[in-house]
Amino acid sequence: MSNRIIPLLTVLAALFAVWYLAAALMNASLQRDLFANNDNKSYTTGDLINSSLNMERPKLPAPHQIASELYKLVIATPPSSKRGLVFHARITLEETLIGFAIGAALGIGLAVLIVSIPLLEHSLMPWIVASQTVPIIALAPMIVVILNQFDIGGMTPKAAIAAYLSFFPITVGMTKGFRSPDPLQLDLMRTYSATSAQVLTKLRAPASLPFFFASMRIGVAAALVGAVVAEVTKSEDGGLGARLLAGSYYGQTVQIWAALFMAAALSGILVALIDGIGRLTLKRWAFLT
Amino acid sequence: MKAARDLLPPLVFGAAVLLIWEGVVRLAGVPSVILPAPSAIGERFVHSIPTLSADFLQTIRGVLAGYLIGNATGLLVAILIDRSPFLQRGLLPLGNLVSALPIIGVAPIMVMWFGFDWPSKAAVVVVMTFFPMLVNAAAGLRSAGSMERDLMRTYGAGYGQTLRKLRLPSALPFVFNALKINTTLSLIGAIVAEFFGTPTVGMGFRISTEVGHLSIDMVWATIVVAAVTGSLFYAIVALVERRATFWHASYRAK
């Protein structure tokens, strides 16, 4: 255990050191101008460094500034307040989960179709792949507008974009997973004269479990990216993407970084949750020993 | 002949989708603000080729610059940390974590640091493409079997020779996997970064402003450009992959 933790901590410590150095260097010129504007000519290098790391609108905020902003917005602000990050994170989380649920259902459904109907694979799969070489996110603003025309506002458009982004890795992963059983096992099912539905439920589905969790992991992360970008294009309803946009609009760098860290934490928690469930399930089914 | 047979089903499927789309829009009288017909999009496309190509040139600059720098540094760092198990154990879990994060959120920060023009888009692309390449290339460098490594040792090959003759070639399929993932990521990164500010040109800029003017056919025309660009980019990388890794099991079988 410790031979994993120590390298990780060393790298993290180095990262923090570089970050502080970069923050001091990047902000110094801004801070020098600020001192000059205030006719403060007698500042020392220590003063300069210290103030560069505590500016209100730095080019690069120092880690402790982000931490204190996060503390202020997450713990010190009541969760129901629109000014707090918990409020916005909840909106993003809901959109992500709805979108992910739709994307997972669609992805698994398509994979089942592709595995059971060979003709569909040849006609559908190239388009599914092509649909991803298209920068889907470019569609986001339009999906929002189109659904708005039908008076579908609020969360649905964003969940739709989240679903669109998350279905692809799930389709590809599950197609691979459903195909993962050995030819010998498939032959065995044939000697049992199993129907294709039986092959699916008794052999293909259980065999695909490791692929299932791997694709869920990617799918949920993709859904979160979709939700955040969709919020950027329709920021009135709040969400972490809206905070990013507002921060960039008003030059509030600390706010941007805080929203970014919140999104990262959200994604980390969702992925860890799926990993945990996956590990337990795979152990039970003896994929992991 | 075989290529034609492989191409036919998807082409028929695509043509059917376009026909149904056109038919539904015409018969149901869907207003073009919601969903323009494919023919209307085609007409718009032909009429706005100068604008579309200016947008394309603006965006592709950021995409290509970022793609090259991001992949090159990712590969380089993977090779550098390859000799140090300590750094690997420290960096790779971090790389895995970061590739699951919504990195695209750095777009507003990069626009603030590097200005509105294409360098800020390239910076977003660098950050987005770096980690997939790092993680994949590191896995690829470890993929050479112990038998082959032993063989290199019996030849008396040094670290550099083993790297050049055995481990880099055996890492190629992994590297190409990252290169393919990164084609899409880099286009997405550049377009979303343009949502946060551009000089008044670029595909992301065009999409967000034309949506505001409700000229949806122009948005679709831009999306067609983006789609073709993305598919071509991917196809070129896949073609190079086929040439470079012809010995790999996944191509040998065919």
Side-chain angles (χ1 to χ4, degrees):
Chain A
M1 195 62 192
S2 70
N3 71 349
R4 280 171 163 230
I5 298 281
I6 292 170
L8 196 59
L9 287 181
T10 316
V11 168
L12 280 178
L15 206 66
F16 267 95
V18 171
W19 190 330
Y20 268 108
L21 193 68
L25 287 176
M26 289 178 73
N27 299 334
S29 65
L30 266 180
Q31 186 62 39
R32 233 178 256 130
D33 292 348
L34 217 62
F35 278 144
N37 284 347
N38 295 341
D39 271 340
N40 181 349
K41 286 189 185 100
S42 59
Y43 59 87
T44 61
T45 316
D47 286 343
L48 181 64
I49 293 174
N50 191 22
S51 325
S52 315
L53 294 179
N54 292 293
M55 293 176 75
E56 202 181 321
R57 290 182 181 188
K59 263 191 143 175
L60 175 64
H64 69 266
Q65 286 180 289
I66 301 170
S68 82
E69 175 86 357
L70 275 173
Y71 176 83
K72 202 173 82 196
L73 293 176
V74 175
I75 298 171
T77 320
S80 58
S81 160
K82 265 192 151 178
R83 306 174 117 198
L85 271 180
V86 178
F87 175 84
H88 294 282
R90 250 189 58 193
I91 296 178
T92 305
L93 179 67
E94 269 177 62
E95 292 158 3
T96 305
L97 290 181
I98 299 172
F100 175 56
I102 301 170
L106 187 68
I108 295 172
L110 276 174
V112 168
L113 280 180
I114 286 172
V115 172
S116 359
I117 310 172
L119 182 68
L120 268 187
E121 185 193 1
H122 292 299
S123 52
L124 212 56
M125 207 55 186
W127 288 102
I128 294 178
V129 174
S131 84
Q132 298 298 307
T133 61
V134 181
I136 313 282
I137 286 183
L139 291 166
M142 217 176 36
I143 296 177
V144 171
V145 168
I146 290 176
L147 289 177
N148 251 349
Q149 303 284 333
F150 294 107
D151 279 330
I152 304 172
M155 268 179 196
T156 324
K158 295 167 199 163
I161 292 154
Y164 204 133
L165 271 189
S166 68
F167 92 90
F168 174 71
I170 297 176
T171 306
V172 172
M174 289 310 285
T175 309
K176 252 191 190 156
F178 286 140
R179 294 233 169 97
S180 64
D182 207 69
L184 271 177
Q185 297 166 327
L186 287 168
D187 282 348
L188 181 67
M189 292 305 272
R190 273 191 56 186
T191 61
Y192 290 163
S193 78
T195 63
S196 64
Q198 281 170 325
V199 176
L200 188 68
T201 52
K202 310 250 165 181
L203 176 60
R204 290 188 190 277
S208 71
L209 266 185
F211 293 86
F212 175 78
F213 286 107
S215 33
M216 288 296 136
R217 185 179 198 275
I218 306 173
V220 83
L224 184 74
V225 172
V228 169
V229 174
E231 285 162 0
V232 169
T233 59
K234 191 172 189 300
S235 56
E236 307 89 273
D237 313 328
L240 293 175
R243 296 284 292 195
L244 281 180
L245 189 70
S248 99
Y249 215 76
Y250 299 111
Q252 299 284 358
T253 30
V254 185
Q255 184 190 325
I256 299 182
W257 280 94
L260 208 55
F261 268 74
M262 197 71 189
L266 210 56
S267 162
I269 291 169
L270 289 173
V271 168
L273 213 64
I274 287 177
D275 277 354
I277 298 172
R279 205 159 301 149
L280 285 180
T281 321
L282 292 182
K283 242 180 210 161
R284 249 188 92 92
W285 286 68
F287 282 104
L288 287 179
T289 44
Chain B
M1 188 58 209
K2 190 177 173 302
R5 213 176 43 220
D6 284 350
L7 272 176
L8 198 61
L11 283 181
V12 169
F13 184 83
V17 169
L18 281 184
L19 267 179
I20 295 172
W21 179 352
E22 182 88 34
V24 166
V25 168
R26 291 213 173 174
L27 293 178
V30 181
S32 67
V33 199
I34 296 177
L35 187 65
S39 55
I41 297 169
E43 204 183 310
R44 185 63 194 238
F45 183 93
V46 173
H47 284 304
S48 1
I49 283 178
T51 319
L52 289 172
S53 52
D55 291 340
F56 169 78
L57 287 176
Q58 170 73 19
T59 304
I60 201 74
R61 238 183 303 180
V63 170
L64 287 182
Y67 184 80
L68 288 179
I69 300 173
N71 284 314
T73 42
L75 185 60
L76 208 67
V77 172
I79 294 174
L80 286 180
I81 65 168
D82 176 59
R83 287 192 103 162
S84 153
F86 184 82
L87 277 181
Q88 277 187 30
R89 278 199 296 268
L91 265 179
L92 289 183
L94 220 61
N96 268 319
L97 177 76
V98 175
S99 16
L101 299 182
I103 304 189
I104 206 139
V106 300
I109 296 162
M110 293 302 166
V111 171
M112 232 173 245
W113 286 358
F114 296 101
F116 279 175
D117 212 344
W118 64 270
S120 63
K121 282 71 199 174
V124 176
V125 177
V126 168
V127 180
M128 283 184 82
T129 52
F130 174 78
F131 288 100
M133 181 49 101
L134 174 68
V135 173
N136 273 290
L141 286 172
R142 282 191 307 253
S143 71
S146 51
M147 292 277 267
E148 288 108 335
R149 284 186 212 209
D150 283 349
L151 182 66
M152 293 306 274
R153 275 195 46 193
T154 62
Y155 289 163
Y159 170 82
Q161 279 174 317
T162 316
L163 187 69
R164 262 201 325 276
K165 308 260 170 181
L166 169 66
R167 302 183 54 217
L168 276 180
S170 83
L172 266 188
F174 292 82
V175 169
F176 271 108
N177 189 26
L179 285 176
K180 284 195 286 191
I181 299 173
N182 282 343
T183 54
T184 328
L185 281 182
S186 57
L187 259 181
I188 291 180
I191 289 182
V192 172
E194 285 176 351
F195 290 170
F196 287 95
T198 49
T200 54
V201 63
M203 300 200 291
F205 167 80
R206 191 67 52 208
I207 289 171
S208 54
T209 43
E210 297 296 331
V211 160
H213 299 156
L214 285 183
S215 45
I216 303 297
D217 48 352
M218 188 61 189
V219 180
W220 277 103
T222 307
I223 286 172
V224 171
V225 177
V228 173
T229 311
S231 306
L232 274 182
F233 198 1
Y234 186 93
I236 291 170
V237 174
L239 206 70
V240 176
E241 176 186 28
R242 203 166 273 227
R243 284 282 161 85
T245 63
F246 58 90
W247 43 268
H248 192 251
S250 55
Y251 294 117
R252 225 170 29 201
K254 281 168 195 166

